[in-house]
Amino acid sequence: MSQFIVDRALCTKCGLCLGDCVAHIITRDDNGYPFISEEKEQNCLKCQHCLAVCPVGAVSVSGKSPENSQQLSDIKIPDLSQMKDLVRSRRSIRHYKNENVDPLLLKDILTVLASAPTGVNAMELTFNVIDDKDIMQRLKDKVVDLFIEADKDGRIEPISPRFHMLASYPREIISAELFRNAPHTLIV
């Protein structure tokens, strides 16, 4: 169920939600207000475009409401030049501090990741976080064991000679190369 709700006290009947509905299921009722018929509700993609484009915050859908959503006008979207600078300045992190990351920072990052777009807004991603250095060390040890075992069994792709060579190094170097001493990991 899409739970498409229109606050008639706010709705101006502008039709933006109708025009932006990629499933083309929003129509007008007898009074000109947008609505989704019961037989078309199952076709809702739950993309929430109708909520996002409503200029007066009259649309709620799939349990999401305007008062609990960030307004598009509040977002400072980078222009092309800023995006190019961001992409061109991106670097891999190869050195981490040997300390746990602040749990509030991790929570903030996960909250942002939960907003990442997915196909038809399926939101079927699961984020698994190892947020403790000691547990992370056990994972690293296990992965290194599996890596060495995979090399011995010939399961390291021959097209990856660097990894095959890495398997002959001491365990600490293998771990440092694979994990860069990261204190945590996020598995999606």
PDB file of all heavy atoms in Angstrom, residues 101-114 129 131:
ATOM      1  N   VAL A 101      36.098   4.683  16.059  1.00  0.00           N
ATOM      2  CA  VAL A 101      35.469   5.912  15.587  1.00  0.00           C
ATOM      3  C   VAL A 101      34.315   6.246  16.533  1.00  0.00           C
ATOM      4  O   VAL A 101      33.640   5.349  17.061  1.00  0.00           O
ATOM      5  CB  VAL A 101      34.962   5.734  14.133  1.00  0.00           C
ATOM      6  CG1 VAL A 101      34.178   6.942  13.659  1.00  0.00           C
ATOM      7  CG2 VAL A 101      36.140   5.464  13.201  1.00  0.00           C
ATOM      8  N   ASP A 102      34.090   7.510  16.735  1.00  0.00           N
ATOM      9  CA  ASP A 102      33.004   7.984  17.600  1.00  0.00           C
ATOM     10  C   ASP A 102      31.682   7.342  17.171  1.00  0.00           C
ATOM     11  O   ASP A 102      31.281   7.458  16.013  1.00  0.00           O
ATOM     12  CB  ASP A 102      32.925   9.508  17.480  1.00  0.00           C
ATOM     13  CG  ASP A 102      31.799  10.132  18.292  1.00  0.00           C
ATOM     14  OD1 ASP A 102      31.031   9.400  18.955  1.00  0.00           O
ATOM     15  OD2 ASP A 102      31.682  11.367  18.256  1.00  0.00           O
ATOM     16  N   PRO A 103      30.993   6.652  18.075  1.00  0.00           N
ATOM     17  CA  PRO A 103      29.728   5.993  17.731  1.00  0.00           C
ATOM     18  C   PRO A 103      28.677   6.952  17.152  1.00  0.00           C
ATOM     19  O   PRO A 103      27.887   6.564  16.293  1.00  0.00           O
ATOM     20  CB  PRO A 103      29.239   5.401  19.058  1.00  0.00           C
ATOM     21  CG  PRO A 103      30.455   5.293  19.901  1.00  0.00           C
ATOM     22  CD  PRO A 103      31.372   6.396  19.462  1.00  0.00           C
ATOM     23  N   LEU A 104      28.659   8.205  17.601  1.00  0.00           N
ATOM     24  CA  LEU A 104      27.703   9.170  17.065  1.00  0.00           C
ATOM     25  C   LEU A 104      28.008   9.494  15.606  1.00  0.00           C
ATOM     26  O   LEU A 104      27.096   9.674  14.795  1.00  0.00           O
ATOM     27  CB  LEU A 104      27.683  10.446  17.908  1.00  0.00           C
ATOM     28  CG  LEU A 104      27.137  10.283  19.327  1.00  0.00           C
ATOM     29  CD1 LEU A 104      27.271  11.587  20.104  1.00  0.00           C
ATOM     30  CD2 LEU A 104      25.694   9.821  19.295  1.00  0.00           C
ATOM     31  N   LEU A 105      29.294   9.549  15.251  1.00  0.00           N
ATOM     32  CA  LEU A 105      29.681   9.770  13.862  1.00  0.00           C
ATOM     33  C   LEU A 105      29.258   8.584  13.001  1.00  0.00           C
ATOM     34  O   LEU A 105      28.702   8.768  11.910  1.00  0.00           O
ATOM     35  CB  LEU A 105      31.195  10.004  13.751  1.00  0.00           C
ATOM     36  CG  LEU A 105      31.754  10.140  12.336  1.00  0.00           C
ATOM     37  CD1 LEU A 105      31.110  11.307  11.594  1.00  0.00           C
ATOM     38  CD2 LEU A 105      33.268  10.304  12.380  1.00  0.00           C
ATOM     39  N   LEU A 106      29.484   7.371  13.496  1.00  0.00           N
ATOM     40  CA  LEU A 106      29.048   6.184  12.749  1.00  0.00           C
ATOM     41  C   LEU A 106      27.539   6.186  12.548  1.00  0.00           C
ATOM     42  O   LEU A 106      27.051   5.886  11.454  1.00  0.00           O
ATOM     43  CB  LEU A 106      29.467   4.906  13.477  1.00  0.00           C
ATOM     44  CG  LEU A 106      30.932   4.528  13.397  1.00  0.00           C
ATOM     45  CD1 LEU A 106      31.218   3.301  14.254  1.00  0.00           C
ATOM     46  CD2 LEU A 106      31.361   4.289  11.967  1.00  0.00           C
ATOM     47  N   LYS A 107      26.800   6.553  13.589  1.00  0.00           N
ATOM     48  CA  LYS A 107      25.340   6.607  13.488  1.00  0.00           C
ATOM     49  C   LYS A 107      24.916   7.636  12.447  1.00  0.00           C
ATOM     50  O   LYS A 107      24.008   7.392  11.644  1.00  0.00           O
ATOM     51  CB  LYS A 107      24.726   6.932  14.850  1.00  0.00           C
ATOM     52  CG  LYS A 107      23.216   6.929  14.836  1.00  0.00           C
ATOM     53  CD  LYS A 107      22.637   7.236  16.204  1.00  0.00           C
ATOM     54  CE  LYS A 107      21.129   7.238  16.099  1.00  0.00           C
ATOM     55  NZ  LYS A 107      20.499   7.734  17.292  1.00  0.00           N
ATOM     56  N   ASP A 108      25.580   8.786  12.433  1.00  0.00           N
ATOM     57  CA  ASP A 108      25.279   9.841  11.469  1.00  0.00           C
ATOM     58  C   ASP A 108      25.540   9.350  10.039  1.00  0.00           C
ATOM     59  O   ASP A 108      24.737   9.578   9.134  1.00  0.00           O
ATOM     60  CB  ASP A 108      26.103  11.089  11.786  1.00  0.00           C
ATOM     61  CG  ASP A 108      25.629  12.323  11.044  1.00  0.00           C
ATOM     62  OD1 ASP A 108      24.412  12.442  10.768  1.00  0.00           O
ATOM     63  OD2 ASP A 108      26.467  13.178  10.723  1.00  0.00           O
ATOM     64  N   ILE A 109      26.661   8.677   9.836  1.00  0.00           N
ATOM     65  CA  ILE A 109      26.997   8.142   8.516  1.00  0.00           C
ATOM     66  C   ILE A 109      25.950   7.127   8.066  1.00  0.00           C
ATOM     67  O   ILE A 109      25.496   7.150   6.917  1.00  0.00           O
ATOM     68  CB  ILE A 109      28.413   7.518   8.529  1.00  0.00           C
ATOM     69  CG1 ILE A 109      29.466   8.618   8.689  1.00  0.00           C
ATOM     70  CG2 ILE A 109      28.670   6.698   7.267  1.00  0.00           C
ATOM     71  CD1 ILE A 109      30.860   8.089   8.999  1.00  0.00           C
ATOM     72  N   LEU A 110      25.548   6.249   8.960  1.00  0.00           N
ATOM     73  CA  LEU A 110      24.537   5.237   8.610  1.00  0.00           C
ATOM     74  C   LEU A 110      23.188   5.875   8.285  1.00  0.00           C
ATOM     75  O   LEU A 110      22.466   5.404   7.403  1.00  0.00           O
ATOM     76  CB  LEU A 110      24.391   4.212   9.735  1.00  0.00           C
ATOM     77  CG  LEU A 110      25.593   3.280   9.900  1.00  0.00           C
ATOM     78  CD1 LEU A 110      25.451   2.447  11.166  1.00  0.00           C
ATOM     79  CD2 LEU A 110      25.760   2.391   8.681  1.00  0.00           C
ATOM     80  N   THR A 111      22.857   6.947   8.984  1.00  0.00           N
ATOM     81  CA  THR A 111      21.613   7.658   8.697  1.00  0.00           C
ATOM     82  C   THR A 111      21.641   8.226   7.287  1.00  0.00           C
ATOM     83  O   THR A 111      20.659   8.145   6.544  1.00  0.00           O
ATOM     84  CB  THR A 111      21.379   8.785   9.726  1.00  0.00           C
ATOM     85  OG1 THR A 111      21.306   8.196  11.029  1.00  0.00           O
ATOM     86  CG2 THR A 111      20.098   9.545   9.441  1.00  0.00           C
ATOM     87  N   VAL A 112      22.773   8.789   6.892  1.00  0.00           N
ATOM     88  CA  VAL A 112      22.918   9.319   5.537  1.00  0.00           C
ATOM     89  C   VAL A 112      22.853   8.184   4.516  1.00  0.00           C
ATOM     90  O   VAL A 112      22.173   8.285   3.496  1.00  0.00           O
ATOM     91  CB  VAL A 112      24.243  10.118   5.390  1.00  0.00           C
ATOM     92  CG1 VAL A 112      24.510  10.471   3.939  1.00  0.00           C
ATOM     93  CG2 VAL A 112      24.180  11.381   6.240  1.00  0.00           C
ATOM     94  N   LEU A 113      23.538   7.068   4.797  1.00  0.00           N
ATOM     95  CA  LEU A 113      23.532   5.938   3.870  1.00  0.00           C
ATOM     96  C   LEU A 113      22.126   5.373   3.669  1.00  0.00           C
ATOM     97  O   LEU A 113      21.803   4.895   2.583  1.00  0.00           O
ATOM     98  CB  LEU A 113      24.464   4.832   4.368  1.00  0.00           C
ATOM     99  CG  LEU A 113      25.953   5.122   4.268  1.00  0.00           C
ATOM    100  CD1 LEU A 113      26.759   4.011   4.930  1.00  0.00           C
ATOM    101  CD2 LEU A 113      26.374   5.296   2.824  1.00  0.00           C
ATOM    102  N   ALA A 114      21.299   5.454   4.693  1.00  0.00           N
ATOM    103  CA  ALA A 114      19.931   4.953   4.571  1.00  0.00           C
ATOM    104  C   ALA A 114      19.124   5.757   3.557  1.00  0.00           C
ATOM    105  O   ALA A 114      18.084   5.302   3.085  1.00  0.00           O
ATOM    106  CB  ALA A 114      19.240   4.982   5.941  1.00  0.00           C
ATOM    107  N   VAL A 129      27.907  -3.205  10.318  1.00  0.00           N
ATOM    108  CA  VAL A 129      29.055  -2.429  10.763  1.00  0.00           C
ATOM    109  C   VAL A 129      29.782  -3.187  11.862  1.00  0.00           C
ATOM    110  O   VAL A 129      29.157  -3.658  12.807  1.00  0.00           O
ATOM    111  CB  VAL A 129      28.613  -1.049  11.311  1.00  0.00           C
ATOM    112  CG1 VAL A 129      29.815  -0.255  11.798  1.00  0.00           C
ATOM    113  CG2 VAL A 129      27.847  -0.282  10.261  1.00  0.00           C
ATOM    114  N   ASP A 131      32.111  -2.133  14.553  1.00  0.00           N
ATOM    115  CA  ASP A 131      32.504  -0.846  15.123  1.00  0.00           C
ATOM    116  C   ASP A 131      33.401  -0.982  16.349  1.00  0.00           C
ATOM    117  O   ASP A 131      33.512  -0.072  17.151  1.00  0.00           O
ATOM    118  CB  ASP A 131      31.271  -0.011  15.453  1.00  0.00           C
ATOM    119  CG  ASP A 131      30.381  -0.667  16.495  1.00  0.00           C
ATOM    120  OD1 ASP A 131      30.665  -1.821  16.899  1.00  0.00           O
ATOM    121  OD2 ASP A 131      29.397  -0.032  16.906  1.00  0.00           O
TER     122      ASP A 131
END
